Amino acid sequence: MIEKKALTVTELTKVLKNCLNLQFPGISLIGVVSDVYRAEGYKVFSLNGVDSKIKCVHISTSTNNNIAVDVGDKVRVNGTVSVFGKSGEIHVLISKLEVLESIFREPEGRLKEFPNSGVEVKNIKPVDFDFLIKSVGIITSVDGAALSDILTVVRDELPYLVIKIFPAVMQGKNAFESFRNCVSQILSHRDIDILIITRGGGSYEDLSVFNSENIANLFGLVDIPIISAIGHAKDDVLLNHVADFNVATPTSAIQKIVANKNKFEIKIRELEINLSNSIERLLIRKTNEMENVRALLHTPLRKTEMYRSGLKSLERRASEVIHGVLSARKQKLLQMETVIEKLQKSNKKYSLNPVIFTKDKKKVIKSVHGLRGDEVLAIKFKDGLIKVKVLNN
């Protein structure tokens, strides 16, 4: 038995591509658009039938660049069937695209296509926060350039920021399970302010995981704000509409945190200026109040000083008067002391003999002349006093 030569995958892909080109040199299909992915110069979408779908690639040219399709549109496509070498998927390379029925729907429609999906599309708005972001969780590949770009900005401009990295597989069949593990860890952390999901650009197949129902449901469980930074500005995935905020690149995501820091620095400076102005106004007001009080106290102080001067003058005059009176009394006392000394010397002469007084002791009797009969006299002895009566004279 002759052993057949084994083909490489590349060779098989080329054979299938040639066979399809020969078998289907040109086809026309009608279906409903889903899973739209737009990139620079081309867009990829799925064309859906009742129970099947096929991927379509539309290359933009100068003649068809204005043709816009969105999820839910019914379209007719003309083209050739081929095989995409990188993934081995069959796709239609579109040469002509015609929109038969346009059904415009907001991004919510993309989620409503998923049965039993409880996720709501959040308001996509400019990234702004009314609180200072101090900690950030990042879901990304640890080997990717996206993480390196973010950490460079953090090192240069956000030294206070706490970064918690949740390594993940960002494409391929293991990506969803990796994301689920990250979300499980995030739900157990209560100290993360926001979550950034980021990766660099890639092909439609590389970013397809971010267009799935499972991703929409999974990140709908996260109750902290989410910033989606998937791919480049031209890339649009379903996760962008599930997240709270959507930015074009990984660097743009971390720059929003820088803007948050700058906003609060401005607020702090404004508060400092307002506080300084308030203190200055308060000091001026209190100074004016003190001046007013001082003015009110000025007249009473002058009167008090005048009264104080008058009192000192009275005190000085009173002191002079009292000094004069005391001097006169002192002089009189000295005179009395002199008289007393003389009396004491005189009394010594009569102290040995009795002294006879009138009854009222006002007059000393020195002679019998002038005495009346029955007159009462007082005789003072050294050791006492007696009263006598004149019998006859």
Side-chain angles (χ1 to χ4, degrees), residues 201-318:
S203 65
Y204 173 80
E205 286 75 15
D206 293 338
L207 303 180
S208 61
V209 64
F210 301 103
N211 274 316
S212 70
E213 171 191 3
N214 292 334
I215 282 292
N217 289 325
L218 179 63
F219 285 103
L221 300 174
V222 179
D223 56 1
I224 60 175
I226 298 175
I227 297 179
S228 174
I230 303 299
H232 302 297
K234 61 183 176 60
D235 299 320
D236 183 26
V237 293
L238 182 58
L239 180 61
N240 290 344
H241 304 282
V242 175
D244 297 85
F245 307 99
N246 172 26
V247 294
T249 63
T251 303
S252 298
I254 197 62
Q255 285 297 338
K256 299 303 179 183
I257 314 300
V258 175
N260 172 261
K261 177 203 72 170
N262 294 338
K263 181 179 75 172
F264 276 87
E265 285 181 344
I266 293 173
K267 285 186 178 181
I268 290 173
R269 285 196 294 270
E270 290 175 351
L271 290 173
E272 288 177 345
I273 293 172
N274 292 338
L275 180 59
S276 177
N277 292 338
S278 297
I279 292 174
E280 184 176 358
R281 288 194 297 269
L282 179 62
L283 288 174
I284 292 173
R285 187 169 69 251
K286 292 300 182 182
T287 300
N288 292 336
E289 291 177 358
M290 289 178 63
E291 291 296 333
N292 293 335
V293 172
R294 186 177 298 171
L296 292 174
L297 294 175
H298 184 66
T299 301
L301 286 174
R302 292 185 62 183
K303 288 184 178 180
T304 302
E305 187 63 29
M306 183 176 65
Y307 292 148
R308 182 183 299 167
S309 178
L311 287 173
K312 285 185 178 180
S313 177
L314 289 174
E315 182 182 2
R316 184 170 57 255
R317 291 173 58 188

Side-chain angles (χ1 to χ4, degrees), residues 20-21 35-36 46 55 64 95 98 108 206 218 237 247 261 265 279 334 349:
L20 290 172
N21 288 337
D35 303 329
V36 178
S46 295
K55 191 168 295 182
N64 64 15
S95 59
E98 180 184 1
E108 292 94 330
D206 293 338
L218 179 63
V237 293
V247 294
K261 177 203 72 170
E265 285 181 344
I279 292 174
L334 290 175
K349 297 178 181 181

